[in-house]
């Protein structure tokens, strides 16, 4: 049986879909095709390496038109007959692609929003197209997910799975259950050994990973406030602190450089002249970030792919969010056992939580 899963969005989205994928893979004789994006292709390739996915189709939508995307996928999957198609990223384009393919049934998530004008109900894909769906799982996205905040996103995927195989709704889903899969690929393992050597790692080390990506631009902290916060973080314990960078600069990055006075010790790894046990990774692939994360005891990051990756490795997580969108972030919260979502501007609470996490 061939199944197509459409998950052409972010890393975190794909991670939250892994329990769904695992269930599908356990079906006898199943062959899983995954339509992914350039954003989650690294993780998707690893899922293929470890046998959860059989075939990958990837397209960079950010640099191409929707029509080019449609033609590309249609060409790649032409002539393949699918038992079921599962649309985990609801959109009109994804549904039109599904309709154009040879398939028995289509199951999809459907997002309910409000139009900008007159506050009318707006469905994605449009509700008129639901006639092409065997069944669907509706997600109420209105009011920034406040209407459906008590149903975690990963629960919607299970509901869709249950609908497709006529499984009673009472079936339980352990949201915080971490899959027993090695999420380090060969590149990650090689990079991990290199990092260990460069930072003189031993088993007694306590490591904090501080992800310093472009989402820090959303913070309303002044540069002085950030300096006080970061200095306090460095003085918090005798931990080794590894600061990792995002895809682009943030407004505090020059301040960080001035505070840390970095020296290059490898291609993308720096250490500080003035602060003992402070390291900075200038630019990394997802596989390299995963390696650093696997080595860390605590992960501090603005909400994103690394937040969800920390769950795969069972790490303590401080997930930094915009408190004005609390319902949204709760809906998409990582399923870690030791995790706190904190306002990115509440530096006092972040430091206090770090102290608590460091004692456990």
């Amino acid at each position: 049986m061939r199944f197509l899963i459409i998950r052409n969005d972010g890393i975190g989205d794909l991670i939250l879909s892994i329990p769904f994928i695992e269930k599908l893979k356990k079906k006898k004789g199943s062959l899983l095709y995954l339509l992914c994006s350039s954003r989650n292709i690294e993780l998707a390739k690893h899922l293929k390496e470890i046998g959860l996915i059989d075939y990958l189709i990837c397209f960079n939508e950010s640099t191409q038109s929707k029509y080019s995307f449609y033609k590309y996928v249609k060409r790649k999957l032409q002539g393949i007959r699918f038992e079921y198609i599962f649309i985990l990223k609801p959109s009109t384009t994804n549904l039109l692609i599904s309709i154009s393919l040879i398939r028995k049934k289509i199951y999809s998530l459907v997002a309910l929003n409000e139009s900008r004008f007159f506050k009318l109900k707006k469905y994605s894909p449009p509700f008129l197209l639901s006639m092409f769906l065997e069944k669907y799982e509706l997600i109420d996205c209105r009011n920034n997910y406040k209407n459906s905040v008590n149903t975690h996103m990963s629960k919607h995927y299970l509901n869709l799975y249950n609908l497709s195989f006529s499984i009673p709704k009472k079936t339980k889903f352990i949201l915080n259950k971490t899959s027993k899969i090695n999420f380090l690929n060969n590149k990650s393992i090689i990079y991990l050994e290199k990092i260990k050597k460069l930072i003189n790692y031993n088993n007694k080390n306590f490591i904090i990973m501080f992800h310093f990506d472009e989402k820090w631009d959303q913070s309303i902290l002044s540069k002085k406030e950030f300096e006080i916060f970061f200095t306090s973080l460095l003085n918090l314990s005798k931990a080794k602190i590894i600061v990792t960078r995002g895809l682009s600069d943030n407004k505090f990055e020059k301040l960080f450089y001035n505070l840390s006075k970095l020296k290059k010790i490898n291609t993308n790894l720096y250490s500080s002249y003035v602060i003992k046990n402070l390291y900075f990774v200038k630019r990394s692939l997802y596989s390299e970030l995963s390696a650093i994360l696997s080595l860390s005891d605590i992960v501090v990051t603005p909400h994103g792919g690394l937040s969800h990756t920390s769950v795969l490795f069972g790490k303590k997580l401080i997930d930094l969010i915009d408190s004005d969108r609390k319902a949204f972030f709760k809906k998409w919260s990582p399923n870690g056992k030791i995790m706190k979502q904190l306002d990115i501007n509440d530096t006092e609470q972040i430091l206090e939580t770090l102290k608590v996490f460091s004692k456990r």
Side-chain angles (χ1 to χ4, degrees):
M1 290 190 296
R2 292 184 178 90
F3 299 109
L4 174 63
I5 303 164
I6 301 180
R7 182 83 277 182
N8 49 337
D9 38 17
I11 292 171
D13 304 294
L14 182 53
I15 289 173
L16 286 179
S17 307
I18 288 174
F20 173 90
I21 293 170
E22 285 182 306
K23 280 180 168 290
L24 207 54
K25 188 60 182 172
K26 288 177 182 177
K27 291 285 179 185
K28 188 176 180 179
S30 65
L31 283 175
L32 268 55
Y33 290 68
L34 176 66
L35 173 55
C36 63
S37 73
S38 56
R39 291 166 58 200
N40 60 25
I41 182 61
E42 272 198 86
L43 177 59
K45 283 180 178 178
H46 186 55
L47 296 183
K48 184 174 182 293
E49 285 174 10
I50 61 179
L52 270 185
I53 296 296
D54 297 291
Y55 300 97
L56 284 180
I57 306 94
C58 179
F59 185 82
N60 190 351
E61 290 183 80
S62 63
T63 59
Q64 301 288 334
S65 69
K66 289 183 179 180
Y67 182 61
S68 297
F69 172 56
Y70 174 87
K71 286 199 303 181
Y72 175 82
V73 176
K74 186 79 167 63
R75 186 174 71 252
K76 284 286 184 180
L77 298 176
Q78 192 171 20
I80 301 173
R81 180 177 180 81
F82 294 104
E83 187 75 9
Y84 298 164
I85 295 176
F86 297 96
I87 303 173
L88 300 188
K89 181 194 176 185
S91 75
T92 302
T93 304
N94 285 342
L95 180 54
L96 290 175
I97 285 171
S98 301
I99 292 169
S100 72
L101 298 174
I102 305 170
R103 84 287 168 190
K104 189 174 179 182
K105 296 177 181 178
I106 304 172
Y107 295 90
S108 179
L109 300 180
V110 174
L112 170 59
N113 285 290
E114 285 180 339
S115 61
R116 289 185 182 180
F117 306 104
F118 310 116
K119 300 296 181 182
L120 297 174
K121 287 183 179 180
K122 181 181 177 183
Y123 296 90
S124 180
F127 214 61
L128 178 64
L129 294 177
S130 64
M131 68 179 73
F132 293 101
L133 301 176
E134 182 69 18
K135 289 182 181 177
Y136 60 87
E137 167 76 1
L138 186 67
I139 305 174
D140 194 337
C141 309
R142 293 173 297 175
N143 299 318
N144 211 13
Y145 290 95
K146 287 179 183 176
N147 297 358
S148 64
V149 68
N150 292 322
T151 304
H152 193 270
M153 277 305 303
S154 54
K155 184 67 163 61
H156 289 297
Y157 308 147
L158 176 72
N159 290 344
L160 192 65
Y161 178 89
N162 289 347
L163 283 170
S164 61
F165 296 103
S166 302
I167 298 171
K169 289 184 178 180
K170 292 182 180 179
T171 303
K172 291 184 179 180
F173 187 45
I174 304 172
L175 296 178
N176 61 3
K177 182 182 177 183
T178 304
S179 176
K180 294 180 180 178
I181 293 173
N182 181 9
F183 284 98
L184 285 182
N185 60 25
N186 291 334
K187 287 182 181 179
S188 300
I189 293 168
I190 292 169
Y191 185 77
L192 177 60
E193 293 307 313
K194 184 191 294 185
I195 287 291
K196 282 182 176 181
K197 187 176 180 180
L198 291 171
I199 69 173
N200 299 313
Y201 175 79
N202 64 63
N203 292 332
K204 293 182 180 179
N205 289 151
F206 191 87
I207 296 179
I208 297 172
M209 179 181 183
F210 184 86
H211 193 51
F212 200 42
D213 68 7
E214 56 278 2
K215 291 177 185 174
W216 277 96
D217 283 342
Q218 299 167 10
S219 168
I220 60 172
L221 294 173
S222 67
K223 289 187 177 180
K224 186 62 181 176
E225 287 171 328
F226 181 83
E227 181 178 352
I228 293 169
F229 161 65
F230 196 73
T231 304
S232 300
L233 186 151
L234 295 173
N235 295 327
L236 190 64
S237 67
K238 294 180 180 179
K240 289 182 185 288
I241 297 176
I242 302 178
V243 178
T244 52
R245 186 183 185 273
L247 296 174
S248 57
D249 294 348
N250 67 59
K251 62 185 179 183
F252 299 121
E253 200 154 326
K254 287 184 180 178
L255 174 60
F256 165 71
Y257 292 149
N258 291 335
L259 285 172
S260 54
K261 302 194 183 315
L262 301 168
K263 60 180 178 181
K264 191 172 185 178
I265 59 175
N266 193 258
T267 307
N268 67 340
L269 183 66
Y270 296 73
S271 64
S272 171
Y273 279 113
V274 294
I275 302 166
K276 188 179 179 181
N277 291 328
L278 173 65
Y279 299 91
F280 175 61
V281 184
K282 191 169 186 179
R283 187 178 292 273
S284 297
L285 299 171
Y286 175 71
S287 59
E288 294 171 340
L289 289 173
S290 296
I292 295 168
L293 191 150
S294 73
L295 194 64
S296 304
D297 296 280
I298 301 175
V299 179
V300 183
T301 178
H303 181 88
L306 281 184
S307 305
H308 295 283
T309 304
S310 70
V311 178
L312 300 179
F313 294 96
K315 301 301 179 179
K316 299 172 185 176
L317 169 68
I318 298 178
D319 192 37
L320 304 177
I321 65 171
D322 175 0
S323 60
D324 290 337
R325 301 178 66 205
K326 200 170 182 177
F328 171 85
F329 289 109
K330 182 180 178 183
K331 182 87 174 173
W332 291 93
S333 64
N335 291 319
K337 292 181 180 179
I338 304 178
M339 186 277 294
K340 273 206 170 184
Q341 287 191 323
L342 300 174
D343 187 337
I344 196 169
N345 301 301
D346 192 348
T347 55
E348 186 177 333
Q349 189 60 49
I350 295 169
L351 291 170
E352 186 58 38
T353 304
L354 268 170
K355 288 179 184 177
V356 173
F357 280 8
S358 297
K359 291 175 183 177
R360 292 185 182 181

